[in-house]
Amino acid sequence: MTASHSAAPRPHQALPGKPLAGKASVPGDKSISHRALIFGALAVGETRVSGLLEGEDVLRTAAAMRAMGAEAERLPDGSWRVRGVGVGGFAEPADVLDMGNAGTGARLVMGLVASHAMTAIFTGDASLRRRPMGRVIEPLSLMGARFIGRSGGRLPLAVVGAQQPLPISYTLPVASAQVKSALLLAGLNAPGITSVIEPEPTRDHTENLLRHFGAKVEVHDDERGRVITLAGQPELRPADIDVPGDPSSAAFPLVAALIVPGSEITITGVGMNPLRTGLFDTLLDMGADLTFSNRREQGGEPVADITARHSRLKGITVPPERAPSMIDEYPILFVAAACAEGKTIVRGAKELRVKESDRLAAMARALAANGVALEELEDGLIITGDGQAPQGSALVGGASVATELDHRIAMSALVLGLAAKNGVAVDDVGMIDTSFPGFVALIQGLGGNLTPETA
């Protein structure tokens, strides 16, 4: 069990206070961290990973790799050593794979198991057991795998891998980097060419790392969308990885600086993959004072240092086609919108309803309870911001938010509290460690008034 689910809840509150100031770095990118462990386990030999996110989600993936015969251990210098077993070399796990809250880890490891002649049983925490897995079950079944689980394809779920996996060509009905990645991972142990067609480009960390480890991957666009083809059964070579800072995590302190008067902070070494920067583009459209400096490459990905200064934000209509590049950042965008002048209209974000919680409904409740005017749509929100005055937000705040075991709801609500007149409380911060260990300390270090809530 993760700390957030085995221990008593840890309620916290955020209150307005002095401006945020300083420089900080955020933990390693969660998407890349999951994949770094998996690809290291698929290579023959030893891979070193530095900057790995050591959150609960990623540690569950590390445990799953060990359960299937690879080695994954943290070294004294903070880096990780992964000794892989090679494509097709995984062993059947002796026990249930408990993926905790890790939706990414669960779907990616299911892809691995699907093309190996073994059976693995997956479970997770209460939040993950509610999340539908049908979108990966359908295409992986076409490759020969069998699935036995609860209604709706929910965990606990047994995956019986294919004895002779089949390469397929599959068009994603909904843009999803997790489903795409699960199929490509399954395709590694299938003969011939596996193709995935995505209607809109999604984060391409899997494709980048496949190349980094020596697989043959080709990407092109045609009338169907973006087509990714993978040649199966390669011998992957070990390849060291330096994981950049997670842009999804950087979003929280950066938005906090934008909405707290007088603030100026810099977050260093943030991943700038163009398929992950939709939030930054949206904030710039809203008038955010963001600057990007020291651009460089790290671990095969572009990175930069990002400085955010308090800004008078304006409401905008967010392009729906931007959703795949900012799907995890919508909760914190809603906070920025609550502090902007005028209406922010978000559509095309129905995917938020099947995340760790129904993030559209959860954020609508959290914002409304704290005095934000909004309308909830099937696929988004219309938020009427408070027209933030130079001396501070007109946002009332004062409510306690039910985080629903969702780390991004908890962090978003706390950032809102830094700008609200009466602050905002949350019922628990324990689950934040799944993606952003040290979040509370980082915000406090920048000057944020964030403390345990007392009765």
Side-chain angles (χ1 to χ4, degrees), residues 107 132-140 170 174-176 179 351 354:
R107 292 188 176 103
M133 296 293 162
R135 61 179 55 181
V136 290
I137 289 174
E138 179 185 347
L140 293 175
Y170 186 78
V174 178
S176 170
V179 179
E351 176 77 4
V354 292

Side-chain angles (χ1 to χ4, degrees), residues 186-446:
L188 280 172
N189 199 38
I193 302 296
T194 293
S195 299
V196 182
I197 301 100
E198 49 183 3
E200 297 172 6
T202 64
R203 58 186 66 178
D204 60 356
H205 305 307
T206 297
E207 297 95 305
N208 292 341
L209 285 172
L210 279 165
R211 295 188 193 96
H212 188 59
F213 280 83
K216 184 179 179 182
V217 182
E218 295 180 358
V219 180
H220 70 274
D221 295 321
D222 63 21
E223 68 280 356
R224 298 171 295 172
R226 177 159 291 188
V227 182
I228 304 101
T229 59
L230 168 69
Q233 299 180 325
E235 181 168 321
L236 300 184
R237 59 175 183 266
D240 293 350
I241 302 170
D242 188 5
V243 180
D246 195 326
S248 298
S249 296
F252 295 98
L254 291 171
V255 168
L258 294 176
I259 64 176
V260 173
S263 297
E264 178 177 343
I265 69 167
T266 298
I267 305 297
T268 59
V270 180
M272 294 295 294
N273 184 302
L275 295 172
R276 294 285 301 281
T277 55
L279 175 71
F280 303 145
D281 295 335
T282 301
L283 292 172
L284 290 169
D285 290 346
M286 296 173 74
D289 186 348
L290 293 176
T291 56
F292 305 87
S293 60
N294 193 19
R295 291 181 181 268
R296 56 206 186 273
E297 188 170 290
Q298 180 178 319
E301 297 272 346
V303 302
D305 302 337
I306 306 177
T307 299
R309 301 172 185 85
H310 174 244
S311 305
R312 296 290 301 278
L313 301 175
K314 304 283 187 182
I316 65 167
T317 297
V318 181
E321 63 271 17
R322 206 173 270 174
S325 67
M326 58 183 294
I327 196 67
D328 288 332
E329 288 75 69
Y330 277 113
I332 192 62
L333 170 65
F334 297 151
V335 171
C339 297
E341 180 181 347
K343 286 187 177 180
T344 297
I345 301 172
V346 174
R347 303 296 302 263
K350 193 174 182 179
E351 176 77 4
L352 294 180
R353 295 202 182 276
V354 292
K355 290 290 186 177
E356 281 84 336
S357 66
D358 179 341
R359 286 181 174 162
L360 284 177
M363 284 304 299
R365 286 192 292 270
L367 294 172
N370 284 285
V372 179
L374 59 86
E375 178 185 352
E376 183 178 346
L377 309 172
E378 183 184 5
D379 66 342
L381 296 178
I382 299 175
I383 296 171
T384 302
D386 65 12
Q388 188 182 45
Q391 71 272 19
S393 175
L395 190 65
V396 175
S400 180
V401 170
T403 56
E404 303 185 28
L405 298 178
D406 192 322
H407 50 122
R408 299 199 194 280
I409 302 300
M411 290 185 282
S412 297
L414 290 171
V415 169
L416 182 72
L418 297 175
K421 283 184 176 179
N422 299 307
V424 172
V426 299
D427 60 0
D428 192 13
V429 296
M431 87 298 291
I432 292 176
D433 285 346
T434 64
S435 70
F436 197 156
F439 167 78
V440 170
L442 183 144
I443 295 296
Q444 291 170 333
L446 294 170

